[in-house]
Amino acid sequence: MARVSQEHLDARRRQILDGAALCFARNGFHATSMQDVLKEVGLSAGAVYRYFSGKEELIGAIVGEVLGSVRAAFEEALRQSPPPPPDELVATVLGAVLASRESLRIDGRPAFPSLVIQVWPETLRNEELAAVLREGYGSVRAAWAKIVEDYQRAGMMRPDIEPDHVARTMIAAVLGFIAQQSLFGPTPVEVLRDGLRALTSMRDDRGPADGAPLG
């Protein structure tokens, strides 16, 4: 028998992951069965179970893949000295993640934002998925914090703020933007970029309020 090439194996795995992501985004994790996934990808049970043991492993693989791509993008930014400004960096990373999943659509709308929304409540019921998310979130947060430290060393950001606080805030902004996409429809990442650019350019030239202590 001819050996199956790695390229073929990778393409089949991609097919299964993308089909499962569409099912989860459309119907949610609990309402999606493995039969739904098999129907979506047009493969036999044996072909799918060769790659994934079941729905739980599929969910974990999808989440881990997304978080891994985000972490890799931030680690790539760390190789620049200094890294791009926060507004540009967020737009570049989020734009790349969205573009890589642009082909996944439900009724003409991108499926990825809805998939992200589906993940959050699932972590309350699925401890294994929650662990995957915690690990991935922690690694992204750590990468962001290192970038903030580079900003501070380069004099691009005030040095008296804890880097992890900035990292958490930037991640919250991205997650909120994705949630808006799921609720209200696609929005260019330039909207988030411009909003962050405006906020980070603010200066506080106000003096102390009347009667306020100075120390």
Side-chain angles (χ1 to χ4, degrees), residues 1 9 14 20-21 28 71 76-77 82 86-87 122 142 147 154 165 192 201 209 215:
M1 293 179 62
L9 294 174
R14 175 83 273 139
R71 182 184 66 250
E76 175 64 28
D87 54 313
E122 183 63 17
I147 290 172
H165 297 182
L192 179 61
S201 68

Side-chain angles (χ1 to χ4, degrees), residues 177-191:
F177 185 75
I178 293 174
Q180 289 186 47
Q181 296 228 9
S182 176
L183 293 170
F184 310 124
T187 305
V189 293
E190 287 76 18
V191 172

Side-chain angles (χ1 to χ4, degrees), residues 19-41:
L22 282 174
C23 290
F24 295 146
R26 185 187 299 119
N27 302 318
F29 294 120
H30 278 271
T32 298
S33 67
M34 282 302 290
Q35 286 300 318
D36 295 325
V37 175
L38 298 178
K39 183 178 179 181
E40 182 71 37
V41 300

Side-chain angles (χ1 to χ4, degrees), residues 145-205:
K146 289 180 181 178
I147 290 172
V148 171
E149 291 170 358
D150 276 5
Y151 290 151
Q152 291 172 332
R153 281 191 290 268
M156 298 170 62
M157 185 175 288
R158 53 187 295 173
D160 59 332
I161 303 297
E162 175 63 38
D164 182 63
H165 297 182
V166 181
R168 287 173 179 266
T169 300
M170 298 305 292
I171 293 172
V174 171
L175 292 177
F177 185 75
I178 293 174
Q180 289 186 47
Q181 296 228 9
S182 176
L183 293 170
F184 310 124
T187 305
V189 293
E190 287 76 18
V191 172
L192 179 61
R193 180 203 64 194
D194 292 348
L196 290 173
R197 181 171 297 170
L199 290 172
T200 55
S201 68
M202 288 182 65
R203 294 183 50 171
D204 188 356
D205 295 325

Side-chain angles (χ1 to χ4, degrees), residues 30-64:
H30 278 271
T32 298
S33 67
M34 282 302 290
Q35 286 300 318
D36 295 325
V37 175
L38 298 178
K39 183 178 179 181
E40 182 71 37
V41 300
L43 296 173
S44 68
V48 172
Y49 285 116
R50 177 180 182 180
Y51 296 86
F52 301 100
S53 62
K55 191 167 66 170
E56 303 297 319
E57 190 173 345
L58 273 168
I59 296 169
I62 292 169
V63 172

